[in-house]
């Protein structure tokens, strides 16, 4: 099966980039006759879609964190597949019933913030249920009584696959259900599905798939649902080279959703994939967006060669996410990689304000007389 071709056929072309709000997806949800199941702190609707008539019930939600929109795009692509009226989609709909919340945190999406309008991280509110959005998700969970849960997120560009030097384009986790991090039948089922997704994704993004640390936090939704005996799978959309809009990554989220559900459709769950799950390398913080090497500076009237790094800060401006490069680390870059590496080859650092880089300074400077760096990258 050509998964990339399948994605292209079902890609929701009205959605693009990082800034995805309820206004962007409402026309799509109305087309599929979405039901309003609650409201956010600021009164925005929270929608639910249901598809299928099958016995296996899948609860899927996205954009619990408002600024994590890649999985929403991939999820809408998958929803298009479910409604494609093909033999494959009809087969899935006959075996599964889907309950989908495409955007749990519409206020955060609108403001492009992780938290909701009250400044609460909904993924730390699974026990207190202090926010209306948290209550909506828990009520849906209890009424729908799913057999599996998919918890969809984005992760930052800082994550790589162990020490490989490869970005973690997609990451998974079968959350722990207790402090001892035990593996019971419920958690093992989630691991099996992750292994199936990993096997397919390795064909498209080899060595770019990571596994999150499974430290237990009962306040997290995934840990809570796993604790309540429902296999729960965390999927994180990460960085693909030169893809800050995450249009490439959305393809692999679609493939993850498709292949995992296809695995559940075609296989009886047997508890034999734990070792293969644990072989997926763990995520590690090993990346900066841009690394500058062999830069000459004049410090205390002494010349020296240094390395430093910049990271993009995501800023919402006129309904578009802009990426502002700022210096975040000077020296101490051993064992770190850059998504972009610029070798100054001993050229002198200079800027309008400083003779050497400073933390939180905008990455606008010159290297020697011929290289002008604007917003982190050389602009000649």
């Amino acid at each position: 099966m050509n998964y990339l071709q399948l994605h292209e056929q079902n890609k929701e072309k009205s959605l693009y980039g990082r800034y995805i709000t309820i206004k962007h997806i409402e026309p799509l949800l109305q087309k599929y006759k979405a039901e309003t199941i609650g409201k956010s702190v600021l009164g925005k609707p929270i929608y639910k879609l249901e598809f299928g008539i099958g016995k296996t019930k899948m609860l899927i939600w996205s954009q619990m964190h408002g600024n994590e929109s890649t999985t929403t795009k991939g999820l809408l692509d998958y929803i298009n597949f479910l409604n494609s009226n093909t033999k494959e989609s009809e087969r899935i709909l006959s075996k599964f019933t889907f309950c989908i919340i495409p955007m749990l945190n519409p206020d955060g999406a609108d403001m492009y913030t992780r938290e909701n309008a009250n400044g609460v991280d909904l993924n730390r509110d699974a026990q207190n249920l202090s926010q209306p959005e948290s209550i909506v998700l828990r009520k849906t969970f209890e009424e729908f009584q799913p057999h599996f849960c998919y918890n969809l997120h984005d992760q930052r560009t800082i994550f790589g696959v162990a020490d490989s030097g490869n970005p973690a384009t997609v990451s998974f986790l079968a959350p722990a259900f207790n402090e001892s991090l035990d593996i019971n039948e419920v958690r093992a089922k989630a691991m099996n599905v992750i292994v199936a997704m990993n096997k397919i994704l390795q064909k498209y993004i080899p060595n770019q798939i990571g596994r999150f640390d499974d430290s237990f936090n009962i306040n997290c939704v995934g840990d809570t649902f796993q604790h309540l005996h429902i296999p729960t799978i965390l999927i994180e959309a990460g960085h693909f080279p030169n893809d800050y809009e995450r249009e490439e990554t959305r393809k692999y989220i679609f493939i993850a959703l498709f292949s995992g559900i296809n695995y559940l459709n075609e296989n009886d769950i047997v508890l034999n994939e734990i070792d293969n799950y644990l072989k997926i390398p763990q995520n590690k913080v090993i990346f900066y967006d841009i690394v500058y090497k062999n830069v000459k500076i004049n410090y205390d009237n002494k010349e020296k060669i240094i390395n430093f790094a910049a990271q993009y800060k995501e800023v919402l401006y006129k309904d578009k996410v802009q990426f502002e490069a700022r210096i975040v680390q000077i020296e101490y870059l051993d064992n770190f990689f850059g998504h972009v590496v610029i070798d100054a080859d001993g050229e002198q650092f200079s800027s309008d304000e400083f003779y050497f880089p400073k933390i939180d300074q905008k990455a606008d400077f010159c290297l020697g007389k011929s290289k002008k760096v604007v917003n982190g990258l050389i602009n000649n």
Side-chain angles (χ1 to χ4, degrees):
M1 180 179 293
N2 188 330
Y3 287 92
L4 291 177
Q5 184 180 36
L6 187 67
H7 175 260
E8 186 60 31
Q9 291 168 353
N10 293 283
K11 181 179 179 180
E12 180 47 62
K13 293 179 172 59
S14 68
L15 300 179
Y16 177 86
R18 298 291 288 274
Y19 188 54
I20 305 295
T21 71
I22 199 67
K23 290 181 180 179
H24 293 107
I25 68 171
E26 265 181 329
L28 308 172
L29 304 184
Q30 290 168 0
K31 179 174 70 173
Y32 293 130
K33 299 180 181 179
E35 175 188 353
T36 302
I37 54 173
K39 292 189 180 294
S40 67
V41 171
L42 299 181
K44 293 184 180 66
I46 300 172
Y47 291 105
K48 176 185 75 172
L49 294 166
E50 286 201 15
F51 304 107
I53 57 173
K55 293 181 179 180
T56 302
K57 296 193 288 186
M58 310 291 295
L59 174 61
I60 306 174
W61 66 94
S62 185
Q63 235 163 320
M64 169 178 280
H65 295 141
N67 60 351
E68 298 180 1
S69 58
T70 308
T71 52
T72 303
K73 293 186 294 186
L75 180 57
L76 265 295
D77 298 340
Y78 187 74
I79 288 170
N80 282 349
F81 159 73
L82 291 178
N83 290 272
S84 61
N85 297 317
T86 60
K87 288 183 179 179
E88 183 67 24
S89 65
E90 290 173 0
R91 183 169 65 92
I92 294 297
L93 292 173
S94 70
K95 299 292 183 64
F96 294 88
T97 298
F98 295 91
C99 177
I100 299 172
I101 303 175
M103 185 176 290
L104 184 64
N105 183 5
D107 295 340
D110 196 50
M111 298 181 290
Y112 200 70
T113 59
R114 178 181 174 89
E115 296 83 10
N116 74 345
N118 286 332
V120 174
D121 184 338
L122 300 179
N123 204 28
R124 300 296 183 272
D125 195 39
Q127 294 300 308
N128 291 335
L129 298 176
S130 67
Q131 302 302 303
E133 300 91 344
S134 305
I135 294 169
V136 165
L137 179 59
R138 178 60 69 84
K139 182 180 179 183
T140 303
F141 173 84
E142 292 174 349
E143 290 179 351
F144 186 62
Q145 296 186 354
H147 297 102
F148 288 88
C149 291
Y150 278 32
N151 184 9
L152 307 183
H153 290 266
D154 275 47
Q155 63 184 11
R156 297 172 61 196
T157 60
I158 59 176
F159 288 104
V161 178
D163 294 307
S164 67
N166 295 318
T169 301
V170 178
S171 296
F172 297 111
L173 176 66
F177 68 91
N178 63 7
E179 293 281 358
S180 301
L181 311 183
D182 295 327
I183 299 174
N184 61 359
E185 181 178 350
V186 171
R187 192 176 179 208
K189 285 182 178 180
M191 291 178 176
N192 286 359
V193 178
I194 288 171
V195 169
M197 292 189 284
N198 179 58
K199 286 179 180 177
I200 298 298
L201 285 171
Q202 289 291 346
K203 299 176 183 179
Y204 296 92
I205 44 173
N207 304 312
Q208 289 178 229
I209 299 150
R211 174 171 57 90
F212 265 100
D213 173 78
D214 61 352
S215 54
F216 178 69
N217 184 348
I218 193 62
N219 297 305
C220 294
V221 173
D223 301 53
T224 291
F225 287 177
Q226 202 91 279
H227 181 76
L228 294 173
H229 311 297
I230 303 301
T232 300
I233 296 158
L234 175 73
I235 304 177
E236 297 260 1
H239 186 66
F240 185 90
N242 302 314
D243 180 37
Y244 283 89
E245 298 294 349
R246 302 231 164 140
E247 288 299 303
E248 286 293 319
T249 300
R250 78 186 284 182
K251 299 177 183 179
Y252 307 117
I253 297 304
F254 172 89
I255 291 172
L257 292 169
F258 188 97
S259 58
I261 291 165
N262 205 43
Y263 167 79
L264 288 173
N265 183 42
E266 294 178 351
N267 296 273
D268 294 327
I269 293 291
V270 291
L271 308 181
N272 61 355
E273 296 285 9
I274 295 171
D275 288 345
N276 287 328
Y277 171 81
L278 296 174
K279 287 177 183 176
I280 300 173
Q282 280 201 330
N283 276 358
K284 191 173 181 181
V285 178
I286 56 170
F287 270 101
Y288 291 105
D289 287 318
I290 312 164
V291 169
Y292 308 91
K293 292 187 172 182
N294 303 312
V295 182
K296 184 191 293 183
I297 65 168
N298 192 313
Y299 186 74
D300 285 345
N301 296 317
K302 294 181 180 179
E303 289 187 343
K304 63 183 295 189
I305 300 294
I306 66 166
N307 301 323
F308 61 96
Q311 198 73 16
Y312 286 119
K313 181 179 180 181
E314 297 171 23
V315 179
L316 183 63
Y317 180 71
K318 293 185 177 180
D319 291 341
K320 184 174 176 58
V321 176
Q322 297 185 344
F323 298 90
E324 295 183 357
R326 292 185 176 270
I327 295 168
V328 294
Q329 184 66 38
I330 301 170
E331 299 286 43
Y332 308 108
L333 298 182
D334 291 349
N335 303 317
F336 279 86
F337 301 89
H339 292 300
V340 173
V341 177
I342 296 174
D343 192 337
D345 198 25
E347 295 279 12
Q348 181 87 31
F349 176 98
S350 64
S351 75
D352 293 339
E353 300 178 67
F354 306 107
Y355 294 105
F356 48 85
K358 289 193 173 183
I359 298 297
D360 204 38
Q361 170 189 348
K362 285 187 176 181
D364 297 331
F365 53 86
C366 291
L367 297 172
K369 296 180 179 180
S370 62
K371 295 177 181 176
K372 186 176 183 180
V373 176
V374 177
N375 199 30
L377 301 177
I378 292 175
N379 182 21
N380 290 330

